[in-house]
Amino acid sequence: MAVSTKPAREKVVALAGGVGGAKLAAGLQAALPTGCLTVIVNTGDDFEHWGLHVCPDLDTVLYNLAGLNNPEMGWGRQDEAWTVLGEMERYGGENWFRIGDRDLALHLRRTEWLRMGLSLTEVTDRLRRLLGVPSAILPMCNEAVRTLVHTEEGDMPFQHYFVRRRCEPSLVDLSFVGAESATLSPEVRKALNSADLVVFCPSNPYVSIDPILSVPGLRDLLRHSKTPKLAVSPIVNGQALKGPAAKMMRELGEMSSPLTVLDHLGDVLDGFVIDRADAELSDAVILPALVTGTIMNDLPSKERLAQDILAFAATLRTAPVPSAAD
Ligand code: FO1
């Protein structure tokens, strides 16, 4: 009889932004029994383009968990075609944000369902079922929360800063417009309340994780929960695994280091995962630390990191609770 290497049916919630978050989510999905993973995804990057409701991080997670992601670009669909983008250029349509033909079908359907009155949570669940994804994917909330980037050149909506301006303008601050009126959806609340482990994926702390934590009640729920919560550093050897996190840290006057990530998120964490390249920092990590390989190039490396994280979390559960005198 074959012996399963998959762990017991513990429920894991992953908090994720785009590419780095989606990679670890795929590893967790592979490492866990079917249906045990819920991914709560940043929607601060969402915007309207060509009249369509675009949710870049939700789609990056969706495509990764469906095995349909484009590994070269990091975002969008594999085997993509660009006929519509070319035709849009012919008609003077905006072409700085590239929506491929296959991806376009998803955007049309999502926009149609939202206009019919479905919530973003319901639409996302329909899409993931249609793509055969066994894990739950939840937007951080149903209301519009939009990341606004304050730069030395003025304020910019997130995608204008990130894609149109290639993150070139120097960052001054960020705000999450609409966050004060957002609410915890019943699905997000239930997932967090019933989780056996919460994993902060190696996503940008400022523009992927902070918007999620900006949903009123979410940070407090995590802070007061007894469930182990750990984060994987998106900074390795002073560089971001992907995207502008290291540049942003420097522009905000911080060191581009895993310790800056820890400092930023530490109040909600019980453990921290850093790469072997940063092993010498482990003594400076004030929480229980796991030093392991965090670079994910293929499914085996994603699944290996997920297994390391699950084993580390088990040690956090059995560790004696420090007394106030410690
Ligand atoms: N990122 C780019 O750098 N250029 C693009 O043209 C682009 C198009 C795009 C279309 C659909 C989608 O879901 C994502 C897309 N992204 C693109 C990625 C995305 O905007 C960013 O990676 C995230 O918002 C940051 O996580």
Side-chain angles (χ1 to χ4, degrees):
M1 198 173 70
V3 178
S4 168
T5 55
K6 297 211 171 188
R9 292 193 65 80
E10 57 186 41
K11 292 190 188 131
V12 177
V13 170
L15 307 184
V19 182
K23 283 183 175 182
L24 181 56
L28 286 164
Q29 180 173 271
L32 287 164
T34 305
C36 286
L37 175 67
T38 298
V39 192
I40 298 176
V41 183
N42 169 41
T43 55
D45 299 11
D46 295 10
F47 76 132
E48 183 129 328
H49 188 70
W50 296 350
L52 302 171
H53 190 102
V54 183
C55 304
D57 287 359
L58 275 174
D59 292 349
T60 301
V61 170
L62 185 64
Y63 291 148
N64 271 269
L65 295 190
L68 294 172
N69 57 298
N70 184 314
E72 286 82 39
M73 295 193 302
W75 47 270
R77 279 287 306 267
Q78 59 182 227
D79 301 323
E80 190 53 284
W82 304 96
T83 309
V84 175
L85 183 70
E87 293 301 308
M88 285 300 279
E89 287 168 15
R90 186 200 296 269
Y91 297 119
E94 295 206 60
N95 62 1
W96 58 270
F97 191 83
R98 301 169 60 222
I99 295 182
D101 298 354
R102 290 179 192 275
D103 197 23
L104 179 63
L106 181 148
H107 287 97
L108 288 166
R109 204 74 174 115
R110 171 191 289 130
T111 306
E112 184 184 1
W113 282 332
L114 288 172
R115 287 195 185 135
M116 283 164 56
L118 271 70
S119 70
L120 188 57
T121 301
E122 291 167 324
V123 170
T124 307
D125 198 56
R126 280 191 180 187
L127 292 168
R128 72 101 184 162
R129 284 172 194 275
L130 288 164
L131 291 182
V133 174
S135 307
I137 303 176
L138 300 175
M140 66 191 200
C141 60
N142 286 310
E143 298 84 0
V145 175
R146 298 291 172 259
T147 299
L148 186 64
V149 188
H150 307 283
T151 79
E152 285 182 354
E153 298 179 32
D155 295 350
M156 299 176 196
F158 181 79
Q159 294 299 342
H160 286 250
Y161 162 81
F162 192 93
V163 174
R164 193 172 203 166
R165 297 295 317 276
R166 300 190 179 85
C167 309
E168 281 162 13
S170 189
L171 179 67
V172 176
D173 201 359
L174 291 151
S175 45
F176 308 117
V177 180
E180 62 292 342
S181 326
T183 54
L184 268 184
S185 69
E187 293 82 0
V188 166
R189 185 188 295 279
K190 186 174 172 208
L192 290 173
N193 279 334
S194 55
D196 298 300
L197 170 66
V198 176
V199 179
F200 289 64
C201 291
S203 297
N204 186 313
Y206 305 118
V207 294
S208 297
I209 300 298
D210 276 356
I212 301 178
L213 296 176
S214 79
V215 176
L218 203 148
R219 193 175 195 126
D220 277 349
L221 194 158
L222 287 173
R223 214 188 266 139
H224 295 125
S225 131
K226 298 215 172 356
T227 306
K229 295 162 291 283
L230 51 86
V232 182
S233 174
I235 301 288
V236 173
N237 205 14
Q239 301 295 317
L241 287 173
K242 177 98 178 137
K247 175 179 180 282
M248 288 179 159
M249 282 176 185
R250 289 191 295 270
E251 289 167 356
L252 293 173
E254 305 279 0
M255 269 187 336
S256 64
S257 157
L259 298 179
T260 303
V261 181
L262 179 62
D263 196 41
H264 197 70
L265 300 174
D267 66 321
V268 283
L269 298 179
D270 305 297
F272 196 53
V273 182
I274 58 175
D275 192 80
R276 283 196 195 97
D278 293 312
E280 80 281 3
L281 296 178
S282 66
D283 287 346
V285 174
I286 50 165
L287 295 173
L290 169 69
V291 180
T292 188
T294 63
I295 312 284
M296 296 172 280
N297 296 321
D298 51 18
L299 189 57
S301 55
K302 295 171 194 170
E303 190 172 351
R304 205 175 312 121
L305 175 58
Q307 281 163 347
D308 288 351
I309 289 169
L310 296 174
F312 176 49
T315 68
L316 294 180
R317 279 193 206 97
T318 53
V321 179
S323 76
D326 288 344

